[in-house]
Amino acid sequence: MPQVQVLADDRKDAPGVSPGDTLISVRGVTAGYDNVRAATRLIALRDIDLEIRKGEFLAIVGPSGCGKTTLINMIAGFVRPISGTIEVRGKEVTSPGADRAMVFQDYALLPWRTVEANVHFALENRSVQVTKEEASARIAEVLDLVGLGGFAKSYPHQLSGGMQQRVGIARALVTRPEILLMDEPFGAVDAMTREAMQAELEKIIAASGQTVVFITHSIDEAVALGDRVVVVSSRPGRIKEIIDVDLPRSRFDDEVKRDPRFAEYTQHIWNLLRDEALGAKDER
Amino acid sequence: MTDVSPATRDAATEAEEANAPQVESIRRSAWTRLRVPVITVINLAAFFTIWEVFASTSLVNPLFFPKASAMFSALFTGFADGSLLPQLGHSLGNLLIGLVISAAIGIPVGLFMGANKAADLILSPYVWSLTALPRVAFIPLLILILGFGNEMQLTIIVLSATFPIIVNCMAGVKTVDPSLLRAGQVFGTSRLQAYTKIIFPYTLPFIVSGLNQGIARGLVGMLIGELLGGSGEGLGYVLDRAADRFDSATLFAVLLLLAVMSVGLVQFTRWAERRVAPWRERNAS
């Protein structure tokens, strides 16, 4: 895949952090939301410490409402922590930046734009300086990468949910970000498409080499994709355990899924979360 | 990716499905196609016939209620002798200029108020009270300030049409999907770009329906201005003069003209509403 190689080589990573070194550090972060009317503050996350290494695929798994989305929003720069700091390459995160691209659960595509124009959206700002030719070359490249080569002129409402999310991924990759933030990207697609998309994502990331922070509430998905899995408990969100997933890639060969260790990992995480999951059920 | 992994096969299947939807053509009879226009023509013909017969009886005073034929002939002579066309032109011209001014004020103000909490908080009391206040109440003041003339007529149209546009734009902005705005932030759009690239296009259907209401309100404003403004121009003035002369045929002719005009404008914006956001219909189905 020569095109993909270009994508990886061309990525404008700032020098100084080599694969395996800490790229994102979350230190003593507490976060929450103020309810001004009731004069209360809901603490979503408490005392989170987390080091995310360059080039790793970090999956964060936890029940609904455990604050994992808040965590990724803080790394993205939408939300500021109440206390503690988040740093990328030693620089504190205060706002969204070109080094971090995000893939949203609900795709967040502009419905009046074609697939092509939606991907182009990521290139339409001050910080990205590309010529017209380079932009269209890059767009064609990422659309091929996500398997949407033939759909450049389609509109989002003409595509299935899985295909819309491919557009979301293409849009995030076209800026060649160092970090890819994915907030339950496959949460809204059907189970069969989901598995296919996971396999494809693994392949894309293997080729492009991004550092990925991937939020999910599916234990299977976390184990299947993550180099490490961060297990987060809820109310308030705390890190219960960080697990190194020692399974070979590609994980989507049928062999790996039948590997007894795969089941051990998922069982272990399930044990960590079981009480909360059952508790959460009662609350609903 | 040339290798056939489950993922690419999935993409291929999806592609196939999207390219070849299972649509078969069915036979449409001539009646299915022509049903609506045929029924409308018969319906209207029957309406005017009954009117004609009813007005020919001695049940109604022809001073107030003309025959349908008299109305049509008044309409015809009005256009033939050139007395009606300049008045229609004056009214329509005023309405269009007024709507353009209203849109130029209402759309940016509405978008800004919708997206900016402080602006909303500060401007809301004025916007809502001016939206609710009946337009006629302004007439004495406007006559005092602007006198009897075109400025007054135009001002009342602008006052009538601007506020529904503001209110609709405001409501529209509040429906903008927050994750689109977040996507904008992630990909580095500036504040101005957020307006032009996300908020404005997303709000477009609301803007059009604001214009729709603006047209309806603007028409009212136009007539009020012409009826009470006494400038001697416009369809409102023709109505007023016809009533003074007990010329019920002309009176009804102008009413018919106004009805056609309003329906035409409203139908146009409804068409525009469907055109500007084809994705919304798809989502709704």
Side-chain angles (χ1 to χ4, degrees), chain B residues 34-63:
Chain B
L34 295 174
R35 190 170 48 194
V36 174
V38 167
I39 290 178
T40 307
V41 167
I42 295 172
N43 182 11
L44 289 177
F47 173 76
F48 287 115
T49 311
I50 293 169
W51 175 347
E52 183 75 18
V53 172
F54 184 64
S56 306
T57 63
S58 54
L59 285 171
V60 289
N61 187 342
L63 221 46

Side-chain angles (χ1 to χ4, degrees), chain A residues 73 78 96 102 104 106 108-109 111-113 121-122 124-126 145 151 157 160 163 166 171 193 196 200 203, chain B residues 1 3 5 7 10-11 14-15 18 179-180 182-190 193 197-198 201-202 279 282:
Chain A
N73 282 342
F78 303 136
M102 189 148 175
F104 297 84
D106 53 2
L109 303 176
W112 53 89
R113 287 195 180 205
F121 180 71
E124 297 167 17
N125 61 64
R126 300 148 265 112
L145 188 62
F151 292 93
H157 72 255
S160 67
M163 292 168 88
R166 289 165 205 264
R171 179 179 61 182
T193 310
E200 212 168 331
K203 221 183 260 180
Chain B
M1 281 193 230
D3 55 333
S5 67
D10 172 66
E14 282 184 16
S179 69
L180 289 186
R182 289 202 156 175
Q185 280 181 286
V186 165
F187 297 112
T189 54
S190 67
Q193 282 178 323
K197 294 189 173 175
I198 302 168
Y202 201 96
W279 70 88
R282 180 64 184 250

Side-chain angles (χ1 to χ4, degrees), chain B residues 48 51 71-72 74-80 83-92 95 219 222-223 226 234-236 238-239 248-266:
Chain B
F48 287 115
W51 175 347
M71 175 187 72
F72 284 117
L75 195 60
F76 181 77
T77 44
F79 278 110
S83 63
L84 216 46
L85 198 59
Q87 311 292 5
L88 176 66
H90 173 86
S91 292
L92 262 182
L95 183 64
L219 264 170
M222 178 194 92
L223 282 171
E226 290 170 357
L235 290 177
V238 179
L239 274 181
S248 64
T250 304
L251 200 58
F252 274 71
V254 173
L255 287 177
L256 182 69
L257 207 55
L258 284 168
V260 170
M261 203 167 120
S262 329
V263 170
L265 285 168
V266 168

Side-chain angles (χ1 to χ4, degrees), chain A residues 23-24 52-56 178-180 209-213:
Chain A
L23 180 63
I24 306 171
I52 301 171
R53 301 166 193 152
K54 178 153 179 63
E56 80 171 328
E178 186 168 20
I179 299 162
L180 191 59
Q210 259 90 15
T211 305
V212 182
V213 181

Side-chain angles (χ1 to χ4, degrees), chain A residues 183-223:
Chain A
D183 184 10
E184 296 195 29
F186 309 140
V189 301
D190 64 88
M192 280 162 78
T193 310
R194 185 177 183 139
E195 186 131 338
M197 302 258 320
Q198 290 168 358
E200 212 168 331
L201 177 67
E202 183 188 50
K203 221 183 260 180
I204 290 168
I205 298 305
S208 61
Q210 259 90 15
T211 305
V212 182
V213 181
F214 187 102
I215 301 279
T216 179
H217 57 240
S218 157
I219 296 171
D220 271 7
E221 188 168 70
V223 175

